Amino acid sequence: MNILIIGSGGREHAIAWKLSQSEKLNQLFIAPGNAGTSEVGTNVNIGVSDFLGIKKTVLENEIELVIVGPEVPLVEGIHDFFLGDNEIKNVAVIGPQQYAAQLEGSKEFAKEFMERHGIPTAVYKSFTNENLTEGHSFIEGLNAPYVLKADGLAAGKGVVILNDLQEAKDELTDMLTNEKFGEASSTVVIEEFLDGIEMSCFILTDGTSYVNLPSAKDYKRIGEGDVGLNTGGMGAVSPVPFASKELLEKIEEKVIKRTVDGLIKDGIPYKGFIFFGLIIVNNEPMVIEYNCRMGDPETEVVIPLVQSDLLELFIATANNSLDKASVKIDERSATTVMLVSGGYPEAYEKGKKITGVENVKDSIVFHAGTAKKEDNSIVTNGGRVIAITSFGSDFKEALATSYKNVEKVNFEKKNFRTDIGFDLG
Ligand code: ATP
């Protein structure tokens, strides 16, 4: 089978790496990919939102299955584009249609869905510029800290948490009236602050059945001890060591099953991954967000723990036969540490030569922002550059291997967090 993966991050490299091990794979293409994906498949220089370019690639290379890595093309309706075009409508797409992708693309849609289906989440209300005054009164009725969320996609920057009442009210005005996040903040969800520990769960679903993937915890802030600016993610651990069997069962009953049943009840087809962003409060899971795709860097720890053939699971997703599939999961722990460009998540330089990848032992190197030059050397091409994934009998052992190999890969102004997993005991 010929496959196309859409995206260019560590997530897409991890998926490509896994699919390249499948006996069912014939040719693998990645659009646009990175230096790492070019080692396991063929990169095609097409942007993730260039639907016509993607269609052309699909036809030229007789692609039968497309895996959409990032959220933007899903929210823009890439799956619907395939379904609506006679020439490619029979190509299977892993990733939901536009309507269902609103679970990630619209916080208000997600909150209404959760409310409708009894899925535990923070108390909330949403506002537009028309009812700004009511929004201010709503904030006054809450206790600090105040959580304000731009409804739409804002590249991970649309959630603002403030301690000061006046600042929170000003922020609401800024979002609604001054369109701080453009169209994305024309509606704002204000919700109760949840005090607990974060973790994420993942499923692959065909819309009626699903398979569970290992849980994970990522580290979003740039600074040690989880301080400073938010990034796309500086590292991750899987499974989450504090997630007991009892907690995972609760998550399955109260969150996962209710979500999949909710999709069925609402008549919303869904083929693809669902990422459940959770805060555990007093041992009870609360959903803070849905993502309609895998996370990055969580994919770099979750997918290597999947021992089953991922392509077979994708085919079962496409054919509505996930109920007959079973997933074998590695019992070890996996960790990843992200090497980033100095300055990231603010301004940083690209084009720095990356050396030492060949010296890495006992870890997997997943490329994110990398590019291959004509002389085959590899250079930095983004903020997050390389993820170093390792296994261990527990997360500490895995981390020790990741950190040993972090030292071997070098580029000018390399930065990374030395404390991934610091809060896990
Ligand atoms: P992402 O980049 O993870 O996709 P996002 O912009 O979709 O983020 P959320 O995941 O909803 O936004 O929130 C971002 C972060 O804000 C969360 O990881 C969490 O730390 C914090 N947060 C969100 N909602 C709450 C809440 N109700 N109480 C406490 N913290 C919250």
Side-chain angles (χ1 to χ4, degrees):
M1 189 179 240
N2 291 351
I3 310 284
L4 173 65
I5 301 173
I6 296 179
S8 62
R11 168 181 51 212
E12 287 73 24
H13 187 194
I15 293 172
W17 168 86
K18 181 71 184 162
L19 292 183
S20 69
Q21 297 161 21
S22 171
E23 283 183 4
K24 291 204 155 56
L25 180 75
N26 184 19
Q27 281 183 289
L28 179 62
F29 298 86
I30 309 94
N34 57 37
T37 59
S38 72
E39 301 284 324
V40 288
T42 307
N43 287 352
V44 192
N45 192 14
I46 288 172
V48 301
S49 298
D50 179 359
F51 294 178
L52 288 174
I54 289 167
K55 173 183 169 183
K56 195 161 162 269
T57 304
V58 164
L59 292 174
E60 274 172 11
N61 299 293
E62 296 175 6
I63 304 283
E64 290 168 85
L65 188 127
V66 176
I67 298 125
V68 188
E71 65 279 16
V72 169
L74 292 167
V75 172
E76 288 172 348
I78 190 165
H79 194 150
D80 312 67
F81 171 80
F82 271 75
L83 290 173
D85 188 308
N86 272 336
E87 288 180 286
I88 49 173
K89 69 172 185 217
N90 293 325
V91 175
V93 178
I94 303 298
Q97 293 167 52
Q98 191 167 32
Y99 186 78
Q102 287 180 91
L103 282 179
E104 174 164 4
S106 165
K107 302 268 184 213
E108 186 181 40
F109 179 93
K111 294 294 281 192
E112 284 171 357
F113 179 88
M114 289 187 253
E115 203 168 46
R116 200 160 54 242
H117 299 295
I119 295 156
T121 188
V123 173
Y124 83 104
K125 227 172 155 156
S126 57
F127 300 92
T128 62
N129 199 32
E130 254 106 78
N131 51 11
L132 177 65
T133 322
E134 285 169 45
H136 286 160
S137 315
F138 184 72
I139 294 178
E140 280 166 11
L142 294 173
N143 293 322
Y146 308 97
V147 183
L148 279 70
K149 301 185 170 187
D151 177 58
L153 291 185
K157 296 190 174 63
V159 175
V160 183
I161 301 180
L162 294 163
N163 279 309
D164 183 79
L165 175 65
Q166 191 54 47
E167 274 181 33
K169 287 163 74 177
D170 291 346
E171 179 68 30
L172 183 67
T173 311
D174 231 22
M175 282 181 162
L176 291 177
T177 314
N178 308 330
E179 296 185 339
K180 181 174 175 188
F181 297 104
E183 181 59 29
S185 66
S186 58
T187 298
V188 172
V189 167
I190 304 176
E191 69 179 27
E192 158 204 31
F193 180 84
L194 299 171
D195 197 5
I197 184 154
E198 284 184 49
M199 62 173 280
S200 303
C201 286
F202 311 88
I203 61 166
L204 178 65
T205 179
D206 57 16
T208 38
S209 304
Y210 65 90
V211 291
N212 282 307
L213 300 173
S215 63
K217 179 158 179 31
D218 79 332
Y219 292 82
K220 276 227 172 336
R221 303 295 189 94
I222 188 72
E224 312 270 311
D226 268 339
V227 297
L229 293 174
N230 258 327
T231 69
M234 298 295 288
V237 172
S238 176
V240 179
F242 63 79
S244 62
K245 192 164 169 273
E246 183 208 355
L247 177 63
L248 290 174
E249 277 169 11
K250 255 188 215 170
I251 295 171
E252 178 137 26
E253 288 306 315
K254 295 186 177 179
V255 175
I256 297 176
K257 282 193 181 150
R258 288 182 196 177
T259 299
V260 176
D261 286 349
L263 289 169
I264 297 168
K265 275 189 202 137
D266 288 351
I268 305 174
Y270 197 112
K271 284 184 193 297
F273 293 104
I274 305 180
F275 168 136
F276 303 87
L278 307 170
I279 296 189
I280 311 302
V281 185
N282 298 327
N283 223 22
E284 286 295 324
M286 307 285 280
V287 178
I288 48 166
E289 67 163 339
Y290 285 116
N291 289 329
C292 61
R293 37 82 199 178
M294 281 301 289
D296 190 347
E298 291 91 334
T299 309
E300 290 95 299
V301 283
V302 170
I303 292 298
L305 289 175
V306 176
Q307 292 176 325
S308 315
D309 183 328
L310 186 62
L311 183 46
E312 279 180 15
L313 291 173
F314 285 151
I315 294 169
T317 304
N319 297 338
N320 298 319
S321 58
L322 265 186
D323 55 332
K324 293 180 206 81
S326 66
V327 190
K328 200 155 176 278
I329 302 294
D330 196 323
E331 286 184 0
R332 292 175 298 170
S333 289
T335 58
T336 201
V337 176
M338 191 64 83
L339 306 184
V340 305
S341 299
Y344 172 80
E346 295 183 285
Y348 58 84
E349 292 166 30
K350 293 183 185 176
K352 306 290 180 198
K353 190 166 181 175
I354 302 168
T355 56
V357 171
E358 67 284 359
N359 299 328
V360 170
K361 285 207 176 62
D362 307 321
S363 293
I364 314 168
V365 173
F366 290 125
H367 290 235
T370 69
K372 205 178 250 182
K373 301 229 308 192
E374 270 169 20
D375 64 0
N376 267 341
S377 64
I378 298 169
V379 294
T380 65
N381 192 37
R384 292 190 298 159
V385 178
I386 271 177
I388 299 193
T389 295
S390 316
F391 301 101
S393 57
D394 59 20
F395 81 93
K396 287 184 180 163
E397 191 180 290
L399 269 175
T401 307
S402 285
Y403 278 120
K404 184 183 76 190
N405 283 311
V406 156
E407 297 305 327
K408 297 187 181 157
V409 179
N410 286 303
F411 52 89
E412 204 185 305
K413 297 192 183 156
K414 172 181 96 172
N415 187 25
F416 60 93
R417 268 181 65 170
T418 63
D419 69 340
I420 299 304
F422 77 98
D423 53 348
L424 298 176

